[in-house]
Amino acid sequence: MREAPESLPDAPPVRGNGSMEQVFEALRSMRLSGAVFLEAELTAPWSFNSRVDPEGCAPYMRPPRHLISYHYILEGECTIRLEGRAAVPLRAGEIVVLPRNDAHMLASGEGIPPIDAGPLIEPGGDGTPAQIRHGGGGARTRMYCGFLGTDAPHNAPLAMLPALMKVDARASAADGWIESSFRYAARESARAAEHAPQMVARLAELLFYDAVRQYVASHPREQRAWASLGDPYVARALALLHERPAHRWTTDALAAEIGLSRSAFAERFTRAVGEPPMRYLARRKLELAAALLRESTLPIARIAYDIGYESEAAFNRAFRREYGSPPGSWRQRAAFSPQSRPDAELR
């Protein structure tokens, strides 16, 4: 986003679908491009580590600054796991989006040692994308893998999304044409047809926007912050807070980072988001902690350190004030709540 003068009009108030409109305006400003680059056919048992490298985009487009990766399950089922998180089950018709292209493990089940996906990839040709054919001969899973890329210098929208989003394409209005469109997109990408990059990018964008729409619609507390993305100063501050929540931020440090005076920044942020920057950060850190408590087995002391608390005792006090009970007790109760299911969104 380009910097704007301090007299930039205020972000509009959130009414109805206003926040969603701001979300998509911010996402459209990133100018996404993309491709379907891999078709995988896997038979249980199997497990491999996966991450799209910028160099892997070279056959389809100039390597972008930022990558969004995704997998669309055509047939069968599998799990996906980010480091330190619970495994998330995936089934036919579901799409998983990783807005910041985090490294992840895909597997047919639990307890299978992963291998590197790189050596398994067979180059495509004659109208077919690159392929992986791998596994032990059991139940079959098929998927398409792809990416979106952007060169936008500041990615507040991506920074504010969870690390992993799962969308059921079967529940989408686009259900009737998603799979056939993916097949066509994969074939045209492999052929390097003149129109393929634009067509593939449009399809992937639509699926990505649908994932974001579902996420934002189900997180009303986040909608005002999303609506503030029309203000480049507030958007940059939010991106910094989401990208580096454990950093020892102060209002002065944030103001200096984005090029405003402390008072101008604090007033602008509070008016747009609805709370002061340090209060927003404190809440975000505790929400991250709650997700880790619910979705991982990390020790409480490690969680406290990872989100930026200097001591476990300080974290326990802050968590109890916000959630009404100490982290350990809250984790035990969360293990039996509906929100603790494995397909909960990961932050």
Side-chain angles (χ1 to χ4, degrees), residues 22-40:
Q22 291 286 347
V23 169
F24 292 120
E25 185 61 34
L27 292 173
R28 281 191 291 268
S29 72
M30 294 193 303
R31 297 181 182 177
L32 299 171
S33 57
V36 176
F37 73 97
L38 179 68
E39 180 181 2

Side-chain angles (χ1 to χ4, degrees), residues 30-69:
M30 294 193 303
R31 297 181 182 177
L32 299 171
S33 57
V36 176
F37 73 97
L38 179 68
E39 180 181 2
E41 182 172 319
L42 308 150
T43 55
W46 58 271
S47 178
F48 57 81
N49 294 316
S50 176
R51 187 174 187 272
V52 182
D53 293 323
E55 293 74 18
C57 305
Y60 310 98
M61 63 184 183
R62 180 176 56 82
R65 180 179 299 185
H66 304 285
L67 279 174
I68 301 163
S69 55

